[in-house]
Amino acid sequence: MKKNGGRLVAATDGESYAFNFTSDHSLLLNPKLAKAYFSDSVYQYRITDTVLYLSDKNNEHRIPYRRDGGILNLFINSNGIDTLQIIPVKQAGLN
């Protein structure tokens, strides 16, 4: 994750995920990442062609994004993050 366009910030902190999108439209954020940059670590999400909406019991975050192949570029522009790239994890033995 790049913070302010330059510095790499660890997003997993020993966990196996930073963002975990589940099939029931829930998003689990790594607790360290969530505490530093978001208001919660569990969200309901919905996605359009250009915006990712994250909703918890008190807030809704509207995050514009661009998809570059399998990479999502989230344009957060708050809490010190300009762009957050989500890159799918490649599992061993899979191409």
Side-chain angles (χ1 to χ4, degrees):
M1 179 168 73
K2 288 188 175 182
K3 182 177 179 180
N4 295 328
R7 189 168 64 105
L8 190 64
V9 177
T12 58
D13 190 36
E15 296 287 335
S16 61
Y17 66 92
F19 283 72
N20 184 6
F21 291 90
T22 66
S23 61
D24 65 351
H25 294 282
S26 292
L27 168 63
L28 305 175
L29 293 176
N30 171 282
K32 180 181 177 185
L33 176 69
K35 184 177 180 181
Y37 300 105
F38 295 90
S39 58
D40 204 344
S41 61
V42 178
Y43 288 95
Q44 292 295 307
Y45 75 89
R46 61 187 171 86
I47 194 164
T48 69
D49 290 340
T50 58
V51 178
L52 171 64
Y53 295 92
L54 303 180
S55 301
D56 64 13
K57 56 188 164 219
N58 299 315
N59 299 305
E60 180 172 79
H61 300 280
R62 181 184 181 279
I63 304 172
Y65 77 94
R66 182 182 72 235
R67 186 181 306 266
D68 294 326
I71 299 171
L72 288 179
N73 291 292
L74 304 179
F75 303 109
I76 296 175
N77 294 320
S78 68
N79 297 328
I81 301 175
D82 291 322
T83 304
L84 174 68
Q85 284 191 334
I86 301 176
I87 302 171
V89 175
K90 293 185 180 183
Q91 297 180 4
L94 299 177
N95 292 327

